[in-house]
Amino acid sequence: MGNKSSLMLQEEEIAEIQDETGFSPSQIERLYSRFTSLDKGDNGTLSREDFLRIPELAINPLGDRIVHAFFTDAHDDRINFRQFMHVLSRFRPLKKNRENKFNSREEKLRFAFRMYDLDDDNKISRDELLAVLHMMVGANISEEQLASIADRTIMEADTDGDQMISFEEFCATLERTDVEEKMSIRFLH
Amino acid sequence: HDGHSQRYQVAKVDFPHVSTPFIISLWIFIAGLAKIGFHVTPKIHLICPESCLLIVVGVLIGLLLFYTGFHSVEHLTPDVFFLYMLPPIILDAGYFMPNRLFFDNMISILIYAVVGTVWNALTIGLSLWAIGLTGLYGVELPLLDTLLFSSIVSAVDPVAVLAVFEEIQVNEVLNILVFGESLLNDAVTVVLYHMFEGYTEMGQENLITIDYIAGVASFFVAALGGALIGIIWGVLAAFISRFSHHVRIIEPLFVFVLAYLAYLNAELFHLSGIVALAFCGITMKNYVEENISYKSHVTVKYTMKMLASSSETIIFLFLGVSTVNDDHEWNTWFVVMTILFCTLYRAIGVIIQTWFLNRFRLHKINKVEQFIMAYGGLRGAVAFALVLVISENVIPTKAMMVTTVIAEVYFTVFIQGMTIGPLVRILNVSTSQKTKLSMNERLHTRLMDYLMAGIEDISGHPMGNYHLRDKFKYYNNKYIRPFLT
């Protein structure tokens, strides 16, 4: 299968993706073979179902949301390899001297923000926060406790008093957090 | 009764009856006083770390005993050190280990601990031996003897490192790297020590290939065996604490006894006791904490801290006292060369390994941090106790080696230990921030963890950190936790 996938990926396409995302050719080829192994329909695109078939993702409480985030820039319900790579490139480690439009601190934070902000209005409402809390914590925390966590979180972050967390407020609360490191993985070669 | 010349006495002096416990209590008392003295003296902690001062107090007491004729009493015997004084410190370190930080940096720590220590032992040993060929030391020093010696001085000491790094408060990654290394390299030290001891007894000319292979294999046995034993006893402690809620008062007891059994169990098989104990603490902590009452938790915490701190105090005190005796054999060139090579090869080793590791690490270790890592490689009581165990019949130059180890320990603890604090400030090493996380930070970092695990899964990362932790969390919550809590 490795042979087949490297045949299907054109040299110039690799170069373009490398240019756009900053991945190295060997990383692109490796991710392409991953892409094709996920692509059960063999038509060069992935659907949500293709993602959700990954067993580990099925037990991840945020699995649905993560998959959903891959499709924000897609016009229909399928994404091609290029779009796949654009999303993944957000999680490349940041290198000081090489700027990139995808993996900046802001892009990483925006991606995390979208995990909450389901209706894309650039605000996290109390309900959106509660929904994520529900997914992440187990059944051993009561409804009241969850509500009070949500209220405290909003109260802490909300500086303009609209009872919601805007992207700017979100970034401000994470000022001390090393987002560059926390939201990066080393992609295999 | 009449025939007796002695009448019934109202009181009498019977020191031999209580001598041992009395002397021990007296030592603990003196150590405690010294510690209090350190903390009530204003600004003294700015000049030198506690460990240095304790050694000085120890030397003073040693001199006093020496000139009053009590010097025949042995203070820091290897048995006392390894069986009673070392375990509390290691258990404390393992039990309060920041697990996540430790496992996130596990690969780097392992490389530093294993490759670094082997590198140090071999380079120091070979260099010392090569210098010895020129006849500079004035004594004959066979290769295996030198390697045995270098395997003792090459390991970074957890007790000394803990004592110094606790005070200077560098950032948590740097801290866990040095500290984790000092814990895990015990396995290497134990193996190298037993290996070269065995080789020396067998004699260099009788060694065949299979002995070398056995040596390498025994490393994995000592390290993994130690860890396994630690985990088994840790799981047992967690499991038992499930049923102890009817007798809350003995809850802390199990934590201590089972951990100690893990240590002794590992030592029984000549495995790494330190690794076993550290892993026992790491394993049991989360489950035990869920099972025991809050009061028991406080008791465990304070007892552990108290035992560790008093034991550390006594170790440094004894280290001072034990250096005052008349068995020393000072060999200037050997001492100078040992200190030089220890410092030099530690620095080279750290630089090479970090260069290699930085290619794979997300959090790069910068130049300043590398310097602190190399500089923070303190030697301490473990090396001292190990060199005392050497048999003089096998290695005739034992006295010289003991003196040299003491010199190396003093050099690192005093010179490096005293200057590392100011250096950290001058070089602007990022220090730890102990502020509490806000609700937002806690929530969002948790979300990022799940998110990154998902991204790793999608990109097909079979051994990613997030992925492994996620998996462990899943199985832990599903199978292990219900069984243990």
Side-chain angles (χ1 to χ4, degrees):
Chain A
M1 196 160 59
N3 275 339
K4 184 184 128 199
S5 59
S6 56
L7 269 180
M8 280 160 61
L9 197 62
Q10 302 299 320
E11 290 263 316
E12 51 265 37
E13 208 176 344
I14 293 182
E16 272 174 56
I17 294 176
Q18 184 185 2
D19 213 41
E20 283 168 5
T21 62
F23 279 115
S24 74
S26 62
Q27 283 173 325
I28 297 175
E29 273 176 47
R30 211 199 68 82
L31 286 169
Y32 189 69
S33 81
R34 175 70 178 165
F35 184 85
T36 46
S37 75
L38 292 177
D39 178 18
K40 293 285 183 254
D42 256 342
N43 46 18
T45 56
L46 295 182
S47 67
R48 286 167 207 261
E49 289 69 42
D50 287 329
F51 278 103
L52 291 171
R53 236 177 270 133
I54 303 172
E56 291 89 355
L57 212 56
I59 60 171
N60 190 322
L62 295 176
D64 286 325
R65 295 259 167 138
I66 296 169
V67 172
H68 178 75
F70 272 77
F71 291 86
T72 39
D73 294 332
H75 300 297
D76 48 11
D77 267 357
R78 308 195 69 84
I79 59 163
N80 60 28
F81 181 57
R82 200 126 167 202
Q83 291 162 321
F84 179 73
M85 292 301 281
H86 286 178
V87 178
L88 284 185
S89 69
R90 285 186 169 72
F91 304 102
R92 285 182 52 242
L94 210 58
K95 285 223 172 73
K96 272 191 202 81
N97 39 10
R98 260 182 286 161
E99 279 293 314
N100 193 297
K101 64 172 177 158
F102 286 117
N103 67 348
S104 65
R105 179 184 171 96
E106 195 187 326
E107 276 304 316
K108 286 179 196 291
L109 280 169
R110 200 165 276 287
F111 197 94
F113 187 76
R114 278 208 210 107
M115 288 281 114
Y116 296 98
D117 183 24
L118 215 53
D119 57 5
D120 269 327
D121 65 347
N122 228 358
K123 302 238 182 239
I124 305 174
S125 67
R126 187 172 180 271
D127 287 339
E128 284 173 330
L129 202 58
L130 266 178
V132 173
L133 274 171
H134 258 287
M135 296 177 189
M136 291 204 299
V137 300
N140 47 0
I141 295 191
S142 72
E143 210 60 41
E144 295 95 76
Q145 279 173 308
L146 280 186
S148 89
I149 292 175
D151 288 336
R152 254 185 73 188
T153 310
I154 291 180
M155 201 183 71
E156 234 179 50
D158 183 25
T159 44
D160 58 5
D162 63 350
Q163 303 299 315
M164 305 223 248
I165 302 176
S166 69
F167 181 62
E168 287 69 34
E169 288 165 345
F170 179 77
C171 293
T173 62
L174 288 171
E175 221 165 26
R176 294 188 307 175
T177 311
D178 193 355
V179 178
E180 290 90 338
E181 194 184 313
K182 280 217 160 63
M183 290 194 59
S184 300
I185 51 173
R186 281 191 42 88
F187 290 92
L188 300 177
H189 285 275
Chain B
H1 289 281
D2 294 25
H4 275 279
S5 56
Q6 242 179 1
R7 305 301 306 163
Y8 183 79
Q9 288 169 298
V10 180
K12 63 176 171 181
V13 179
D14 185 5
F15 187 67
H17 179 56
V18 293
S19 65
T20 311
F22 192 85
I23 290 174
I24 292 172
S25 310
L26 210 55
W27 274 119
I28 297 173
F29 175 60
I30 293 171
L33 278 187
K35 207 173 168 80
I36 293 177
F38 177 80
H39 284 276
V40 296
T41 317
K43 294 208 173 139
I44 198 157
H45 65 276
L46 294 175
I47 309 164
C48 77
E50 203 181 310
S51 43
C52 298
L53 213 71
L54 288 169
I55 292 184
V56 172
V57 173
V59 170
L60 293 178
I61 297 175
L63 287 171
L64 193 77
L65 292 177
F66 189 72
Y67 287 110
T68 51
F70 276 106
H71 60 282
S72 56
V73 186
E74 270 205 86
H75 304 289
L76 195 64
T77 61
D79 267 354
V80 169
F81 176 74
F82 282 117
L83 294 183
Y84 304 111
M85 298 201 301
L86 189 59
I89 300 173
I90 306 299
L91 176 63
D92 176 58
Y95 195 82
F96 294 105
M97 173 85 77
N99 282 2
R100 172 161 184 183
L101 205 57
F102 181 70
F103 286 107
D104 274 356
N105 292 293
M106 187 76 164
I107 307 262
S108 306
I109 292 173
L110 274 177
I111 300 258
Y112 286 125
V114 179
V115 181
T117 309
V118 171
W119 152 269
N120 279 339
L122 291 183
T123 50
I124 295 170
L126 291 175
S127 306
L128 281 176
W129 174 72
I131 298 282
L133 289 182
T134 64
L136 189 65
Y137 310 139
V139 281
E140 201 206 343
L141 214 53
L143 178 61
L144 280 177
D145 294 19
T146 328
L147 284 172
L148 176 63
F149 171 75
S150 71
S151 69
I152 293 171
V153 285
S154 62
V156 174
D157 185 77
V159 183
V161 164
L162 261 176
V164 167
F165 272 68
E166 200 122 278
E167 286 181 46
I168 59 174
Q169 307 257 316
V170 291
N171 66 67
E172 47 183 15
V173 175
L174 185 55
N175 191 37
I176 200 79
L177 287 177
V178 180
F179 168 54
E181 176 197 347
S182 72
L183 272 187
L184 297 191
N185 72 15
D186 176 62
V188 183
T189 314
V190 167
V191 170
L192 287 179
Y193 180 82
H194 287 304
M195 193 168 90
F196 288 125
E197 194 188 29
Y199 289 172
T200 318
E201 274 168 18
M202 288 159 68
Q204 198 168 353
E205 57 284 350
N206 301 325
L207 290 177
I208 51 170
T209 324
I210 190 78
D211 294 321
Y212 298 113
I213 297 173
V216 175
S218 71
F219 163 71
F220 290 97
V221 174
L224 299 177
L228 185 71
I229 286 182
I231 291 170
I232 291 173
W233 286 98
V235 167
L236 190 66
F239 185 68
I240 290 177
S241 69
R242 234 182 107 168
F243 305 101
S244 63
H245 54 271
H246 296 297
V247 265
R248 292 271 188 216
I249 207 82
I250 59 162
E251 277 173 342
L253 185 76
F254 283 114
V255 171
F256 291 103
V257 169
L258 291 176
Y260 194 43
L261 280 171
Y263 180 79
L264 295 179
N265 197 185
E267 290 287 306
L268 174 72
F269 297 119
H270 272 210
L271 306 174
S272 167
I274 293 186
V275 171
L277 200 45
F279 271 87
C280 183
I282 290 173
T283 314
M284 73 161 110
K285 174 178 65 187
N286 287 330
Y287 308 112
V288 166
E289 296 291 280
E290 274 187 57
N291 289 337
I292 64 177
S293 69
Y294 176 72
K295 277 184 182 168
S296 299
H297 159 76
V298 173
T299 312
V300 167
K301 184 175 166 185
Y302 275 88
T303 315
M304 215 174 260
K305 293 273 173 216
M306 185 195 74
L307 287 177
S309 149
S310 21
S311 162
E312 188 186 286
T313 310
I314 296 172
I315 287 174
F316 284 117
L317 202 61
F318 272 14
L319 204 58
V321 178
S322 310
T323 50
V324 186
N325 59 48
D326 41 19
D327 301 332
H328 286 300
E329 206 179 303
W330 181 265
N331 186 327
T332 309
W333 278 114
F334 192 63
V335 171
V336 169
M337 286 299 155
T338 304
I339 292 178
L340 176 74
F341 289 139
C342 277
T343 318
L344 186 70
Y345 288 122
R346 167 116 188 127
I348 296 176
V350 166
I351 290 170
I352 295 176
Q353 291 171 84
T354 314
W355 173 81
F356 175 75
L357 285 170
N358 268 350
R359 304 176 50 181
F360 303 97
R361 284 178 61 91
L362 278 174
H363 178 113
K364 309 280 186 232
I365 305 161
N366 64 36
K367 288 266 177 333
V368 174
E369 287 171 331
Q370 287 177 38
F371 173 74
I372 296 296
M373 279 197 70
Y375 205 72
L378 308 176
R379 307 329 199 247
V382 173
F384 182 64
L386 276 176
V387 80
L388 287 182
V389 188
I390 296 180
S391 148
E392 206 148 351
N393 302 329
V394 183
I395 295 177
T397 48
K398 178 188 169 182
M400 179 181 89
M401 290 180 176
V402 174
T403 308
T404 310
V405 166
I406 291 173
E408 168 68 15
V409 170
Y410 275 49
F411 177 80
T412 56
V413 171
F414 277 90
I415 309 284
Q416 291 174 208
M418 276 169 82
T419 50
I420 198 167
L423 274 174
V424 162
R425 280 190 289 272
I426 293 167
L427 294 171
N428 244 330
V429 182
S430 62
T431 46
S432 66
Q433 27 167 291
K434 285 253 167 66
T435 44
K436 248 183 133 178
L437 288 177
S438 71
M439 206 51 139
N440 275 278
E441 285 169 320
R442 273 159 62 189
L443 182 62
H444 303 324
T445 45
R446 184 122 174 222
L447 175 111
M448 286 174 196
D449 282 347
Y450 283 123
L451 171 59
M452 295 317 293
I455 297 296
E456 278 183 347
D457 296 334
I458 289 171
S459 64
H461 227 287
M463 292 294 277
N465 258 352
Y466 290 99
H467 168 87
L468 289 180
R469 181 168 49 242
D470 215 37
K471 249 197 166 146
F472 174 74
K473 246 181 161 167
Y474 177 74
Y475 287 113
N476 187 31
N477 284 335
K478 200 162 176 198
Y479 303 107
I480 309 175
R481 258 187 65 205
F483 177 67
L484 293 178
T485 60

